[in-house]
Amino acid sequence: MPRSTALVRALARSSSAAACLVGLLVLVGWALDVMVLKSMGAALPAMRPSAALGLLLAGGALGLRLRCDASPVRRWMGTGMAWATALLGAASLVDGVVAGVMASGGGLDALFLRLFGEDGFASPGIKPSPLTSLCLLLLGPALALLDRGTPQRLSWSDAFVSLTLMAALLGLNGFLLGPLVTPATVPFFQERSMGLHTTCLLILLAVGTLCARPDLGLMGRLTQDTLGGFVARRLVPVTLMGPPLLGLTLVVMHLSGRLSHDAKFPLFSTVVAAGGAALVLMAARALDLLDNERRRATTALEASEVRFRTLLDTAPDPMVVVDASGRVRFANAEVERVFGYRREALLDRGVELLVPEGLHGPSTSASPRPTGAGRMVSGRRQDGTCVPLEVRLSPLEGAGDATTIAILRDVTERRELEKLREEYVGLISHDLRNPLHTINLRAHLLQRALHERKLEREGHMAQAIIHNVEWMNTMIEELLEGSRLESGSVTLRRESRDLGRFLEEVLERDVAPDTRERFRLHLAEPLPPVPMDAARLERVVTNLLTNAIKYSPKGTPVDVRLSAVHEQAVVSVSNLGAGLAARDAARLFDKYYRTEDGRSADGKGLGLGLYISRLIVEAHGGHIWVESEPDRGATFFFSVPLEMAKASRPEAPEPQPARQRAG
């Protein structure tokens, strides 16, 4: 809550408490016939019982209406007390002005005095004031209409409060400045139209009513952090309280005998003129302060814009800033280098000049993609040649017009590297696998010949050759598969399969008989089929099952579970091994990464098994991750979309990075 708003709320609560306290004390004074309580001071006239009751009702209504979330009972009580205040003010006004009954000793106050057991007024100085009744009459509707939910009612409330404040200030100024016009014939604090305490309390109640809703209405204009609010907070209090303070000063000088009657008007006029000049100077100072703040903010904004443009201009990739209509608002130096256009020629031109198909593809209604999701498009240089681009979009934070920063990365070199990789894959496929195939064939022939001649030692040597050739073939196959999956050139041969039945077949076919009893398969209720490339998904499952056996103590169970979560089939493999450290779990699916235990258990692996599993699962539109803690085993998960999920979405989900969670 702003400091000004907190102060305003505190003022509203103080106004309510002061009005209730003074009204209650005055009524107690009349009931007990205590003059000090009746007048709230030795030199002041007694406050009328009707005025005291009005202050008590108005203060109570304000206190009950302060909370915006007040209960219905509290709101109804506040409304009732507000309308009772207005009714009391109307009755007093009719009683004192129209009927003129007070001159004959009757009326409301006489009724109150009879209730208190008195026959007449205790002091002849009590004199009726239509301003007091008028203030109560206006203040009642202002409190009753004080409702946060209806701005129109709050506007009426502000209007009634403003009239109340003007009437109370009229009484206060008349109290202070009236005797300065004509020499007083009675003591200064006696025989005035409104008592000083009554006037001050009515002003305080009017201000408190305005403060009850500090963020709405007239008070909202004072508390808001705008130019108008800044100036109003400095000028309105001086404008309203200046004349009363001036009058109080002249009264003190008049009572002390230092001010003659002839000097009153000249002095008053001079002070008013000086006060007007002071108001103008205060307004000028406030505007100067705001202008200085504006200059500092403008300078900081310009410096921030220069830093932002410098950052974009020195970026290693072509970057453009595009507005909601697709027009270029900024282009960095790399755009000139890659596309050949001068930046000035691109401003206010459509981005289709650089990317003919648009940043969002053929459909311009597509929403901007986040920076992490790139899209391959074809750009066009100034000379008409094409350039392959990867487009990454990022909405500019704080921009209300859908401004977007587009990174247009030139992937020509990447395409050349991919071509080299394809050549490398072909080299491995032809120049390495063919010789290994020949070695493997000759080694088998040699092993058969040695077996026929019963040369067991030489036969074991031939078997070692065959084993190493198979190991090299496995590594070559992993390299080839990883390369194909990375390049995106693999076409999955999908067919709808029952994943539960598929897991049973893999356990039966790919797990050695001596370890098969360690696996426990837990299947959920029948699930919809899964569109899968069975051969590649079998490779994923076999990898997880083999690792579970390899890295868990002998004889411990391995649990395989199948369940459905959010239109995804989730398979988990849990073991009771040593578990994984957080750093290992975070990198387990990276290329060539192997844990310390993995290197010690099997020194021949390349660290591609889980990496290839991740690529296969992501190619299916799923995710793979691990949950583990040291010494508490590990659980590997992977998910693939169910067939009903695929049917409900027209487009296959984009692959996302694998989720890797530890502990």
Side-chain angles (χ1 to χ4, degrees):
M1 181 187 298
R3 183 170 178 267
S4 58
T5 303
L7 292 176
V8 166
R9 292 188 185 277
L11 180 59
R13 289 190 290 268
S14 301
S15 303
S16 172
C20 291
L21 180 62
V22 172
L24 182 61
L25 289 177
V26 171
L27 291 177
V28 171
W30 280 105
L32 302 179
D33 195 17
V34 179
M35 190 60 193
V36 175
L37 295 180
K38 294 179 186 179
S39 60
M40 299 304 295
L44 297 174
M47 184 183 295
R48 300 176 66 81
S50 59
L53 180 60
L55 292 176
L56 180 61
L57 290 173
L62 177 59
L64 292 172
R65 301 304 296 272
L66 280 178
R67 291 177 60 91
C68 300
D69 55 348
S71 63
V73 175
R74 183 170 179 170
R75 191 180 300 114
W76 295 335
M77 289 178 60
T79 303
M81 295 180 72
W83 288 116
T85 303
L87 182 62
L88 180 63
S92 298
L93 190 62
V94 172
D95 192 24
V97 177
V98 179
V101 296
M102 286 188 178
S104 60
L108 289 176
D109 291 299
L111 177 62
F112 282 121
L113 292 178
R114 282 195 291 271
L115 291 176
F116 293 141
E118 299 186 19
D119 295 333
F121 296 118
S123 171
I126 300 180
K127 191 172 183 178
S129 170
L131 289 178
T132 302
S133 302
L134 181 62
C135 287
L136 293 176
L137 176 61
L138 295 172
L139 193 59
L143 290 168
L145 296 175
L146 194 63
D147 192 341
R148 185 185 182 94
T150 52
Q152 186 175 4
R153 293 179 64 184
L154 189 61
S155 299
W156 280 102
S157 176
D158 288 342
F160 282 117
V161 171
S162 300
L163 294 175
T164 304
L165 191 59
M166 293 302 102
L169 284 174
L170 177 63
L172 180 61
N173 291 328
F175 183 91
L176 295 175
L177 301 178
L180 300 179
V181 180
T182 304
T185 58
V186 296
F188 184 81
F189 289 105
Q190 302 290 334
E191 298 292 343
R192 299 288 173 258
S193 64
M194 290 182 74
L196 181 61
H197 41 21
T198 306
T199 306
C200 293
L201 285 172
L202 287 172
I203 292 175
L204 192 62
L205 274 175
V207 174
T209 304
L210 289 176
C211 295
R213 299 291 182 265
D215 52 344
L216 297 175
L218 293 179
M219 192 54 62
R221 297 178 181 271
L222 293 174
T223 57
Q224 62 186 354
D225 294 329
T226 60
L227 175 61
F230 182 82
V231 176
R233 283 194 295 272
R234 283 151 180 80
L235 299 186
V236 170
V238 177
T239 304
L240 293 179
M241 299 309 299
L245 292 176
L246 173 61
L248 181 61
T249 303
L250 296 178
V251 165
V252 173
M253 297 176 65
H254 171 75
L255 294 177
S256 62
R258 298 179 182 179
L259 183 66
S260 64
H261 182 68
D262 295 336
K264 294 177 183 178
F265 274 113
L267 181 60
F268 181 79
S269 301
T270 303
V271 174
V272 169
L279 286 177
V280 173
L281 293 176
M282 289 179 63
R285 180 175 179 274
L287 292 176
D288 288 340
L289 290 175
L290 288 176
D291 187 63
N292 291 335
E293 290 293 333
R294 181 189 61 80
R295 290 174 183 271
R296 282 196 291 268
T298 302
T299 302
L301 181 61
E302 291 175 351
S304 176
E305 184 177 356
V306 169
R307 289 193 298 269
F308 179 69
R309 287 181 175 271
T310 302
L311 178 65
L312 293 182
D313 207 33
T314 57
D317 294 319
M319 300 180 69
V320 293
V321 177
V322 184
D323 62 14
S325 62
R327 296 189 175 275
V328 177
R329 296 304 179 190
F330 174 81
N332 66 352
E334 280 296 303
V335 173
E336 290 185 342
R337 186 188 66 80
V338 173
F339 294 93
Y341 291 96
R342 294 188 59 82
R343 281 182 279 185
E344 294 77 7
L346 292 174
L347 298 181
D348 291 330
R349 301 283 297 274
V351 74
E352 289 78 13
L353 183 65
L354 303 177
V355 184
E357 62 184 274
L359 297 178
H360 306 297
S363 176
T364 57
S365 62
S367 58
R369 300 188 181 203
T371 303
R375 189 171 62 89
M376 302 305 297
V377 299
S378 178
R380 183 170 56 196
R381 296 189 178 96
Q382 187 178 19
D383 58 8
T385 59
C386 295
V387 54
L389 300 174
E390 181 185 30
V391 177
R392 295 175 182 266
L393 305 179
S394 177
L396 193 61
E397 293 185 2
D401 56 351
T403 301
T404 303
I405 298 178
I407 303 175
L408 309 176
R409 178 167 297 170
D410 183 0
V411 294
T412 303
E413 295 183 359
R414 186 194 302 177
R415 290 285 178 87
E416 294 176 354
L417 291 175
E418 290 177 355
K419 185 177 179 181
L420 290 175
R421 181 172 59 185
E422 291 176 0
E423 294 176 355
Y424 166 72
V425 170
L427 175 65
I428 294 177
S429 177
H430 183 271
D431 295 346
L432 291 181
R433 295 181 72 178
N434 288 342
L436 285 176
H437 178 70
T438 302
I439 294 172
N440 189 40
L441 179 60
R442 297 300 177 88
H444 275 89
L445 292 175
L446 177 60
Q447 184 186 33
R448 182 181 302 175
L450 293 174
H451 180 68
E452 291 175 353
R453 297 182 182 182
K454 299 182 180 181
L455 298 175
E456 297 296 335
R457 186 170 65 88
E458 290 79 0
H460 289 306
M461 293 180 182
Q463 180 62 38
I465 295 174
I466 295 173
H467 176 74
N468 283 277
V469 169
E470 291 176 351
W471 170 65
M472 291 185 67
N473 272 323
T474 301
M475 289 194 298
I476 292 172
E477 182 60 33
E478 288 182 349
L479 289 171
L480 289 173
E481 182 73 0
S483 180
R484 287 192 292 263
L485 290 169
E486 286 174 351
S487 64
S489 60
V490 173
T491 301
L492 298 181
R493 299 178 180 178
R494 296 178 184 265
E495 57 178 340
S496 296
R497 295 283 299 271
D498 183 343
L499 190 54
R501 179 59 183 164
F502 173 76
L503 293 175
E504 292 176 350
E505 293 174 356
V506 172
L507 286 171
E508 183 69 25
R509 182 172 55 247
D510 297 337
V511 176
D514 57 338
T515 59
R516 194 173 299 160
E517 66 275 3
R518 293 179 56 185
F519 288 94
R520 299 185 299 192
L521 180 60
H522 307 271
L523 299 179
E525 56 187 28
L527 303 180
V530 173
M532 67 172 79
D533 186 327
R536 285 191 165 86
L537 204 60
E538 181 176 353
R539 181 170 187 167
V540 175
V541 176
T542 303
N543 196 327
L544 297 181
L545 297 178
T546 304
N547 287 343
I549 290 294
K550 185 186 299 183
Y551 299 112
S552 62
K554 292 183 178 181
T556 57
V558 176
D559 292 313
V560 182
R561 289 182 171 84
L562 172 63
S563 60
V565 179
H566 302 304
E567 299 184 350
Q568 297 268 327
V570 179
V571 178
S572 65
V573 180
S574 303
N575 66 75
L576 300 178
L580 296 167
R583 64 179 183 275
D584 291 329
R587 300 186 55 194
L588 199 60
F589 298 95
D590 292 347
K591 192 174 184 179
Y592 302 125
Y593 184 78
R594 304 189 68 195
T595 64
E596 294 292 337
D597 293 340
R599 283 191 289 269
S600 61
D602 183 8
K604 294 182 179 180
L606 292 177
L608 291 175
L610 291 176
Y611 172 69
I612 293 174
S613 297
R614 191 195 82 187
L615 296 179
I616 293 174
V617 171
E618 290 177 354
H620 281 79
H623 311 285
I624 187 169
W625 69 98
V626 61
E627 294 180 354
S628 177
E629 290 184 6
D631 301 325
R632 293 191 178 182
T635 302
F636 287 81
F637 299 84
F638 74 87
S639 64
V640 288
L642 295 169
E643 193 168 44
M644 63 177 182
K646 179 183 178 183
S648 64
R649 294 191 296 267
E651 296 181 1
E654 296 182 3
Q656 300 181 9
R659 294 180 292 175
Q660 301 165 357
R661 302 182 297 210

